[in-house]
Amino acid sequence: MSGMEFKGLTIDVDEDGFIQDPSLWNKEVAEFFGKTEGIEELTEEHWKVINYLRDYYLEFGIAPMIRKLCKETGYDLKKIYQLFPSGPAKGACKLAGLPKPTGCV
Amino acid sequence: MRKVFDDYRALADNVLRPDEPRVDKFVEAMGKSLKKENWTFWLPYVLSLDYCMKCGTCAEVCPVYQASGRREIYHPVKRSEMLRSIYRRYFTLGGKLWPGLVGAKDLTEDGINALAESFYRCTVCRRCAYVCPVAIDNGLVVREGRKILDAIGIAPDELKDSGTQIQLKAGNATNMGTAAFLDIIEFMEEEIADTWGRQVKIPVDKKGAEFLLMHNAGDYLAFPETVMGAAVVLQAAGVDWTLNSPATGINDVVNYGVFFSDGELEKVLRAQLKTALDLGIKTFVVGECGHAFEALKYLMQRLIPAGERPFEVKSILELEAQWIREGRIKVDPGKNREIVTYHDSCKLGRLGGLYEEPRTILQAACQDFRELVPNREMSLCCGGGSGFAIMAKGDFLKFRMETYGQLKAQQLTDAGAQVVALACSNCKGQFREIINYYKLPLRFAGVSELLANALV
């Protein structure tokens, strides 16, 4: 575990850069994580994905199925990779402040 | 993270603890591994340490050695020698008396660092073991080495803390609760209707069912087409079957213990066994997952007496092939018109012997099925094996892509395939990355998905 300095606050992240305490997430944290992933600016399209992931996680305690994410946002996997170059799990979930997905995903 | 072996690190600092003294513990753990109580493969392990002619036949077929441009550090004999030199030094008379003469070396902390990383560059695909003239199994040596490392607290967190440990607690390694599971089932039923125009009711937690189909839980989240396809096929076959939710115990067929620990392997197997017994099912069907098939079909036989597991274990591929042969399900290959090829998973093929089953299915269900070359016994590992598919710390994904992945990408391109059929979840995870990394003009699909698509 290590801390990332951000606007005077320290955000604890794991070895892969995922937030340790998802309750500390906010929009600024998402923008900050975006920069660590090489995403300079978060567009409306990014937010559509992030907000869906966030809402699903708060309801079910896990990231949604990638297929459901695609269906609900209307973006195919290729588009998700364009938006989040590290992909839905390692990229989009990180920005949305979810813990790192585990298992064979 | 500092460099300890090559330009990559599979194990983070908090796992490897590269500056901590571990030599004594390592030697002690290795001593235990050489005793017969090391029940899994003690004899081939010890024989593999004692006898190697260093002829190099293995290196000629080793994907990581070949793809790296024959870098010496990735030579399979070199890798095994890292453990052999410790074995000779501390556990043979010659090595204790005349270490220099017999190739025995004192173990150092840097030596442990290099060995640990080196043993996480090999996917244990065991192509080397298949060609060795004296049946040395470098893959087995790697697995035993990983067991020793785990015994001194060095195991990838993806496989242990976030793997077997979560699975034993939550029922699956994805940490999916029952509410999420049921939400997924409902969504899949809708998707099946949208995709194939079929009304499928997916049975869940049905006691006494003839078939309990247990998938890799990651498939629900990342590769649901496989889960959906299997459901369509089972309903079409008209059999009595069920999936199970985490409320019943373990509902994830994976067993990462296969990759690094007999202790974890046994705990997961026993928990899966208990779930199956509680449900009172007749046949335990392993979904499209290679290492799970190894654990449940083969390793369980060595660990748990037959009387304690009163059910059959089958791969979903065996059942699907059987139902096609029997005419129980009917298919129209014209429904899969693309050029389809099949990648033999190491665990299902070379280890498990399932070569004909996937081909029976795909040749029946696809109009233009073509083989990758080489295939079957000599199939090239995709690079997702032994846990790699879910390991991507630092630059490790790049390692997977530039070595194993590069050979596989070339092979796929040469085959001119539009679809590569896969029957293993780790392969799917790795191919997803390969296709993205090399911008290949093709897609992957589960075998069950292609079969469902061809049903009439």
Side-chain angles (χ1 to χ4, degrees):
Chain A
M1 188 163 95
S2 58
M4 282 176 112
E5 287 293 326
F6 163 70
K7 289 197 174 171
L9 285 168
T10 305
I11 302 286
D12 286 332
V13 296
D14 68 12
E15 291 289 333
D16 301 287
F18 281 77
I19 201 163
Q20 288 282 1
D21 180 356
S23 69
L24 296 177
W25 180 90
N26 59 36
K27 294 202 161 187
E28 287 75 28
V29 173
E31 280 162 5
F32 176 70
F33 279 162
K35 292 204 169 46
T36 69
E37 286 282 304
I39 304 165
E40 274 314 305
E41 207 188 321
L42 296 183
T43 63
E44 209 172 294
E45 292 178 326
H46 287 104
W47 281 112
K48 198 169 166 186
V49 174
I50 292 171
N51 288 331
Y52 180 70
L53 288 173
R54 189 80 199 159
D55 291 345
Y56 193 93
Y57 172 72
L58 291 176
E59 186 174 355
F60 290 106
I62 189 175
M65 303 161 75
I66 295 169
R67 188 177 171 116
K68 195 165 185 179
L69 168 72
C70 292
K71 186 149 190 169
E72 298 289 335
T73 57
Y75 301 149
D76 63 12
L77 195 54
K78 204 171 151 194
K79 173 82 181 175
I80 306 254
Y81 268 98
Q82 274 168 13
L83 292 171
F84 303 93
S86 307
K90 288 176 191 72
C93 284
K94 181 187 290 181
L95 266 68
L98 272 58
K100 190 190 169 204
T102 58
C104 292
V105 289
Chain B
M1 291 191 285
R2 74 178 165 92
K3 186 174 164 168
V4 300
F5 177 64
D6 55 8
D7 296 332
Y8 306 101
R9 282 283 297 274
L11 304 156
D13 277 339
N14 63 333
V15 170
L16 185 60
R17 308 184 312 281
D19 302 311
E20 223 175 81
R22 300 148 302 172
V23 165
D24 293 344
K25 283 189 206 159
F26 187 100
V27 173
E28 191 192 333
M30 183 160 187
K32 280 191 192 153
S33 85
L34 295 167
K35 294 204 167 73
K36 279 195 182 174
E37 293 77 66
N38 183 7
W39 55 271
T40 28
F41 297 102
W42 175 81
L43 188 59
Y45 166 48
V46 175
L47 290 174
S48 291
L49 289 177
D50 273 327
Y51 302 100
C52 167
M53 306 184 296
K54 303 192 176 54
C55 65
T57 307
C58 50
E60 298 309 310
V61 301
C62 172
V64 64
Y65 177 68
Q66 294 295 330
S68 72
R70 306 170 77 89
R71 281 186 71 186
E72 211 48 23
I73 55 167
Y74 297 134
H75 195 299
V77 174
K78 280 266 176 190
R79 181 179 298 112
S80 291
E81 278 297 309
M82 294 171 99
L83 198 62
R84 279 197 194 102
S85 63
I86 306 166
Y87 168 66
R88 289 195 209 99
R89 170 66 186 79
Y90 297 95
F91 302 101
T92 65
L93 186 63
K96 284 176 190 167
L97 296 176
W98 313 286
L101 286 180
V102 296
K105 270 194 222 137
D106 282 349
L107 181 59
T108 62
E109 300 303 337
D110 278 346
I112 292 179
N113 293 334
L115 182 146
E117 283 294 325
S118 165
F119 278 36
Y120 282 96
R121 296 295 179 277
C122 161
T123 57
V124 195
C125 80
R126 299 176 66 252
R127 212 172 177 236
C128 56
Y130 184 73
V131 302
C132 177
V134 291
I136 299 294
D137 192 340
N138 289 302
L140 181 58
V141 172
V142 165
R143 182 170 187 272
E144 292 295 329
R146 288 182 179 194
K147 277 166 57 182
I148 298 169
L149 291 163
D150 176 54
I152 66 165
I154 301 175
D157 50 86
E158 297 90 337
L159 304 182
K160 193 171 188 182
D161 294 350
S162 304
T164 48
Q165 292 297 312
I166 289 184
Q167 184 185 13
L168 289 165
K169 209 164 68 188
N172 54 73
T174 61
N175 213 2
M176 177 200 305
T178 300
F181 177 80
L182 295 175
D183 177 65
I184 289 169
I185 297 294
E186 191 187 331
F187 177 74
M188 286 197 301
E189 286 173 344
E190 292 163 16
E191 288 292 279
I192 288 171
D194 288 353
T195 311
W196 290 300
R198 288 172 184 268
Q199 300 304 317
V200 169
K201 180 72 199 145
I202 300 179
V204 172
D205 298 345
K206 188 179 171 197
K207 288 209 167 196
E210 184 170 0
F211 298 106
L212 167 66
L213 171 58
M214 201 181 282
H215 292 285
N216 179 323
D219 284 2
Y220 289 100
L221 299 170
F223 314 114
E225 297 76 16
T226 295
V227 180
M228 289 157 49
V232 170
V233 172
L234 284 153
Q235 175 158 309
V239 295
D240 175 25
W241 73 288
T242 189
L243 297 178
N244 70 315
S245 75
T248 60
I250 299 278
N251 75 327
D252 187 356
V253 81
V254 303
N255 192 335
Y256 301 146
V258 169
F259 304 142
F260 71 97
S261 157
D262 285 345
E264 298 292 290
L265 166 78
E266 179 173 352
K267 276 187 248 172
V268 172
L269 265 180
R270 289 203 180 272
Q272 288 166 333
L273 173 67
K274 182 177 183 309
T275 305
L277 290 175
D278 289 349
L279 284 166
I281 52 93
K282 293 187 186 66
T283 304
F284 191 122
V285 185
V286 179
E288 297 190 7
C289 180
H291 79 274
F293 188 64
E294 173 179 5
L296 285 150
K297 183 80 182 180
Y298 299 109
L299 296 176
M300 187 159 76
Q301 292 183 13
R302 304 179 74 93
L303 179 66
I304 297 166
E308 293 175 33
R309 40 183 170 88
F311 50 78
E312 268 196 282
V313 176
K314 282 193 171 165
S315 160
I316 180 107
L317 300 182
E318 292 175 271
L319 289 173
E320 289 171 344
Q322 180 193 331
W323 294 336
I324 289 174
R325 283 195 304 267
E326 293 171 353
R328 192 174 184 121
I329 50 176
K330 302 251 185 307
V331 288
D332 171 11
K335 291 189 172 187
N336 285 315
R337 290 178 178 279
E338 294 160 290
I339 302 169
V340 176
T341 190
Y342 176 67
H343 159 79
D344 283 283
S345 133
C346 305
K347 297 288 193 198
L348 293 175
R350 210 158 22 240
L351 186 135
L354 297 183
Y355 297 119
E356 298 315 320
E357 290 79 359
R359 288 172 173 82
T360 299
I361 299 164
L362 294 168
Q363 281 164 352
C366 306
Q367 192 166 282
D368 189 348
F369 174 76
R370 299 180 194 181
E371 290 285 359
L372 288 177
V373 180
N375 55 52
R376 297 177 193 246
E377 291 86 349
M378 289 307 288
S379 170
L380 281 165
C381 176
C382 65
S386 83
F388 286 14
I390 58 169
M391 291 167 62
K393 285 209 167 43
D395 263 354
F396 198 62
L397 179 67
K398 188 174 164 215
F399 167 78
R400 283 161 46 194
M401 293 300 115
E402 303 269 330
T403 53
Y404 298 89
Q406 180 208 320
L407 294 184
K408 208 74 224 180
Q410 188 58 51
Q411 206 188 10
L412 290 171
T413 305
D414 292 347
Q418 294 165 301
V419 180
V420 54
L422 304 169
C424 162
S425 191
N426 279 350
C427 296
K428 285 168 191 157
Q430 173 77 350
F431 274 79
R432 175 181 62 198
E433 303 302 330
I434 293 173
I435 290 167
N436 188 47
Y437 192 87
Y438 289 104
K439 308 268 178 283
L440 301 181
L442 56 95
R443 66 183 176 94
F444 66 88
V447 171
S448 300
E449 176 190 351
L450 291 169
L451 176 56
N453 201 47
L455 286 176
V456 290

